[in-house]
Amino acid sequence: MGASSDPNQDGSDEQQRRSEIYTYEAPWHIYAMNWSVRKDKRYRLAIASLLEQYPNRVEIVQLDDSNGEIRSDPNLSFEHPYPPTKVIFIPDKECQKPDLIATSSDYLRVWRVADDNSRVEIKTLLNNNRNSEFSGPLTSFDWNEAEPKRIGTSSIDTTCTIWDIERETVDTQLIAHDKEVYDIAWGGVGVFASVSADGSVRVFDLRDKEHSTIIYESSEPDTPLVRLGWNKQDPRYMATIIMDSSKVVVLDIRFPTLPVVELQRHQASVNAVAWAPHSSCHICTAGDDSQALIWDLSSMGQPIEGGLDPILAYTAGAEIEQLQWSSSQPDWVAIAFSNKLQILRV
């Protein structure tokens, strides 16, 4: 990670360099972004616009291995109401199900990519506020990998909603926090966690909907927690981001309240966090200092003089707002900053 092109280098160098980093420029500022996991669609991502107007866009782009170009398919670009807060492809590596994309903004929407890749059509619009013309905007959602019919959404109205997208109904809705819920992540079939403006990380088990466990509260009262990443390889660990803070807090759910490690090498607010999909002790963080940092947490739990240092650092051209580690190709991380999408080999 960390190469820039110099056209004066000889061909082999150019080849080497090209294989490290690919860049795509969108016609608008990118915010939401996600990798496809289908094994027949390698190097495919969805990116979404952040425009201060009602119509926004989602594009599906693909890296062409042979020439190193990331290209958008005009047939698979579609209009979206408001900027999506998140976009996720269905977690279906084996291609058993239709090719779906979900997005969150005012509502949760599920879109279908046509089998012949000729278009993207809305399949379902899921609205939980039947009795009101206004709905609390959705801040985030997560698609359950173990049970892909389930999607969990988080909302500024303090709730988390679990949807059954096959039946197109609400499975369950929980008042999760005292304030806005900013992010949600699955940790297994029936277990999810959420973070909120009330400064807490809560874990829920759908077998006991009356109770949740607070496993962390920010040390400054009323300091919102804005992002949450659950370690898929070792679900004892999760990471959370504090609003306007340059540190990332890593938690061990067996030992609530006390972080197992704090990552403190960013120079500005952290915006995104992603656990490695193939290793239980690697995590990537990115933020307003334009840095994407990869950390090896294998020593966490042992005190390290002066704190932990990242093992890899990459500097982008602007503040990094979004970061996704490819679960089907774990050598690749994607970042979004300004109107650029970059995929980096790590």
Side-chain angles (χ1 to χ4, degrees):
M1 246 167 52
S4 60
S5 273
D6 176 357
N8 304 323
Q9 296 284 350
D10 64 16
S12 60
D13 249 34
E14 180 60 24
Q15 195 64 39
Q16 170 61 32
R17 208 151 255 146
R18 217 183 65 193
S19 66
E20 301 293 337
I21 271 185
Y22 302 101
T23 304
Y24 174 75
E25 285 194 40
W28 23 255
H29 191 103
I30 301 170
Y31 180 65
M33 174 262 285
N34 186 245
W35 289 94
S36 170
V37 303
R38 287 172 66 102
K39 58 183 187 189
D40 64 346
K41 297 274 191 253
R42 297 179 47 160
Y43 302 117
R44 180 178 72 154
L45 298 105
I47 55 173
S49 65
L50 177 61
L51 299 169
E52 288 184 11
Q53 60 191 47
Y54 180 72
N56 273 260
R57 302 288 304 173
V58 177
E59 281 187 353
I60 294 180
V61 300
Q62 180 111 24
L63 171 67
D64 181 338
D65 246 5
S66 60
N67 62 10
E69 258 181 71
I70 302 176
R71 278 199 292 266
S72 167
D73 183 338
N75 293 333
L76 304 183
S77 170
F78 57 97
E79 192 167 285
H80 191 285
Y82 301 108
T85 48
K86 200 161 186 186
V87 55
I88 304 183
F89 283 96
I90 184 169
D92 175 33
K93 283 186 183 176
E94 300 307 317
C95 317
Q96 304 291 314
K97 296 181 184 311
D99 195 3
L100 303 179
I101 303 174
T103 57
S104 53
S105 58
D106 50 342
Y107 303 117
L108 177 65
R109 290 176 175 83
V110 181
W111 310 79
R112 178 166 181 161
V113 182
D115 295 339
D116 60 359
N117 280 327
S118 60
R119 64 197 178 282
V120 178
E121 292 173 327
I122 183 84
K123 179 179 175 293
T124 326
L125 184 149
L126 297 165
N127 168 19
N128 201 15
N129 295 55
R130 296 272 180 255
N131 50 4
S132 144
E133 51 191 305
F134 302 106
S135 61
L138 299 177
T139 51
S140 185
F141 72 96
D142 196 19
W143 207 320
N144 192 318
E145 290 178 21
E147 202 174 15
K149 68 174 187 179
R150 276 185 173 166
I151 288 180
T153 57
S154 57
S155 169
I156 67 165
D157 67 8
T158 75
T159 64
C160 289
T161 305
I162 309 303
W163 298 89
D164 180 329
I165 60 163
E166 286 172 8
R167 301 210 326 267
E168 300 183 8
T169 56
V170 172
D171 202 24
T172 194
Q173 183 174 44
L174 301 156
I175 295 176
H177 291 267
D178 308 329
K179 292 185 178 173
E180 299 93 326
V181 189
Y182 286 136
D183 204 4
I184 181 171
W186 290 101
V189 176
V191 179
F192 70 90
S194 56
V195 291
S196 159
D198 66 16
S200 68
V201 180
R202 289 172 187 259
V203 175
F204 296 84
D205 188 325
L206 292 175
R207 291 166 302 192
D208 177 11
K209 295 173 187 157
E210 299 304 305
H211 299 99
S212 64
T213 309
I214 296 179
I215 61 158
Y216 177 73
E217 290 185 280
S218 38
S219 47
E220 311 284 317
D222 293 329
T223 307
L225 301 176
V226 289
R227 287 284 164 263
L228 179 67
W230 203 321
N231 187 328
K232 293 279 193 278
Q233 293 294 317
D234 187 344
R236 294 174 302 181
Y237 296 106
M238 55 176 76
T240 185
I241 297 171
I242 301 160
M243 186 179 274
D244 300 329
S245 167
S246 59
K247 74 177 179 185
V248 175
V249 176
V250 179
L251 307 168
D252 180 335
I253 62 175
R254 296 166 303 173
F255 306 106
T257 71
L258 212 58
V260 59
V261 67
E262 292 186 343
L263 308 177
Q264 310 202 53
R265 292 293 183 262
H266 280 283
Q267 305 298 311
S269 302
V270 180
N271 297 323
V273 56
W275 288 93
H278 59 306
S279 154
S280 62
C281 58
H282 289 87
I283 191 169
C284 187
T285 58
D288 281 350
D289 56 1
S290 309
Q291 297 248 21
L293 305 178
I294 291 185
W295 311 76
D296 177 354
L297 304 184
S298 51
S299 62
M300 68 183 161
Q302 294 127 36
I304 293 163
E305 191 69 37
L308 200 61
D309 285 318
I311 55 167
L312 278 172
Y314 174 72
T315 305
E319 292 95 342
I320 303 174
E321 292 180 58
Q322 191 57 260
L323 149 78
Q324 297 281 328
W325 203 319
S326 170
S327 63
S328 53
Q329 292 142 276
D331 292 350
W332 293 92
V333 168
I335 57 172
F337 56 94
S338 181
N339 68 329
K340 293 185 177 62
L341 163 75
Q342 280 192 336
I343 62 176
L344 321 168
R345 186 197 287 276
V346 297

